């Protein structure tokens, strides 16, 4: 999709080329509401207004006990693709137009994980297939969740727990 030519990956990132395919933020806080607010507070880093960053829902310093989503995605949005492929666009020479055009009607895809920040890192509470082999196994009718976590770097600590959720509270 992207042809680096005379630029390094870091330079393409600095140009904000990624915003063509991911113009939105990377997630949001989870709290009292599903999409909790409170991302831009006094004394915290200020909002960056560059493409691909201006829609971030927070610039806060992440601290233990915060719970938030991590939602990387890749989207094929008609007007953004058209602008990026126009003559004079800073991106046109770095995109393979034929390949981009193959995906125009695809829409996009997003992965969403809910993570709790700890003193030493995070716990990923999302229990769905993430690796190619996990997805293929589930699509073929395989057992989920699996007996063994093949991607421990995702910190899905409860993935192989036979009781990943606490029991419901007693009813009244």
């Amino acid at each position: 999709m992207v042809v680096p030519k005379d630029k390094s990956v870091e330079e393409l990132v600095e140009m904000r080329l990624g915003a063509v395919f991911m113009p939105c933020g990377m997630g949001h806080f989870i709290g009292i509401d599903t999409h909790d607010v409170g991302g831009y507070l006094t004394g915290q880093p200020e909002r960056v207004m560059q493409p691909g960053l201006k829609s971030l829902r927070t610039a806060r310093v992440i601290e233990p006990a915060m719970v938030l989503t991590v939602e990387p995605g890749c989207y094929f949005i008609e007007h953004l693709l058209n602008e990026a492929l126009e003559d004079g666009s800073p991106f046109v020479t770095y995109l393979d137009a034929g390949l981009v055009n193959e995906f125009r009607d695809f829409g996009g895809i997003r992965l969403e994980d809910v993570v709790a920040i700890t003193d030493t890192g995070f716990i990923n509470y999302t229990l769905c297939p993430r690796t190619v082999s996990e997805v293929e196994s589930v699509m073929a009718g395989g057992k989920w969740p699996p007996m063994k976590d093949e991607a421990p770097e995702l910190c899905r600590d409860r993935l192989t727990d036979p009781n990943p959720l606490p029991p419901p509270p007693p009813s009244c």
Side-chain angles (χ1 to χ4, degrees):
M1 195 98 37
V2 176
V3 183
K5 297 188 180 179
D6 63 331
K7 301 270 187 211
S8 68
V9 170
E10 291 79 14
E11 289 171 310
L12 294 172
V13 168
E14 189 64 33
M15 288 173 59
R16 310 305 318 144
L17 177 61
V20 172
F21 301 100
M22 190 173 164
C24 54
M26 278 289 289
H28 52 82
F29 284 103
I30 299 284
I32 295 172
D33 197 359
T34 302
H35 291 86
D36 234 8
V37 296
Y40 295 97
L41 304 175
T42 304
Q44 295 287 324
E46 293 191 18
R47 182 180 291 241
V48 176
M49 295 308 292
Q50 295 177 358
L53 298 175
K54 64 184 177 186
S55 297
L56 291 174
R57 296 192 187 213
T58 190
R60 288 173 63 178
V61 175
I62 304 301
E63 300 175 10
M66 289 182 170
V67 179
L68 56 145
T69 66
V70 179
E71 303 180 29
C74 182
Y75 304 93
F76 299 92
I77 301 169
E78 196 71 20
H79 79 275
L80 295 178
L81 298 176
N82 291 341
E83 291 171 13
L85 293 171
E86 282 179 357
D87 287 337
S89 161
F91 307 127
V92 69
T93 59
Y94 303 104
L95 295 172
D96 180 333
L99 190 54
V100 168
N101 288 333
E102 285 182 37
F103 288 91
R104 279 190 183 264
D105 295 328
F106 177 72
I109 187 167
R110 174 180 68 212
L111 300 175
E112 182 171 338
D113 289 315
V114 175
V115 298
I117 307 304
T118 67
D119 289 328
T120 58
F122 67 95
I123 298 170
N124 185 341
Y125 284 101
T126 302
L127 304 178
C128 64
R130 281 290 188 258
T131 68
V132 171
S133 63
E134 288 174 350
V135 171
E136 288 175 346
S137 174
V138 169
M139 290 179 70
K143 179 183 181 312
W144 192 263
M147 298 301 289
K148 179 178 180 273
D149 185 359
E150 70 171 47
E153 67 276 9
L154 296 178
C155 299
R156 303 178 294 186
D157 294 358
R158 298 178 140 204
L159 185 65
T160 56
D161 184 340
N163 299 303
L165 300 175
S171 53
C172 299

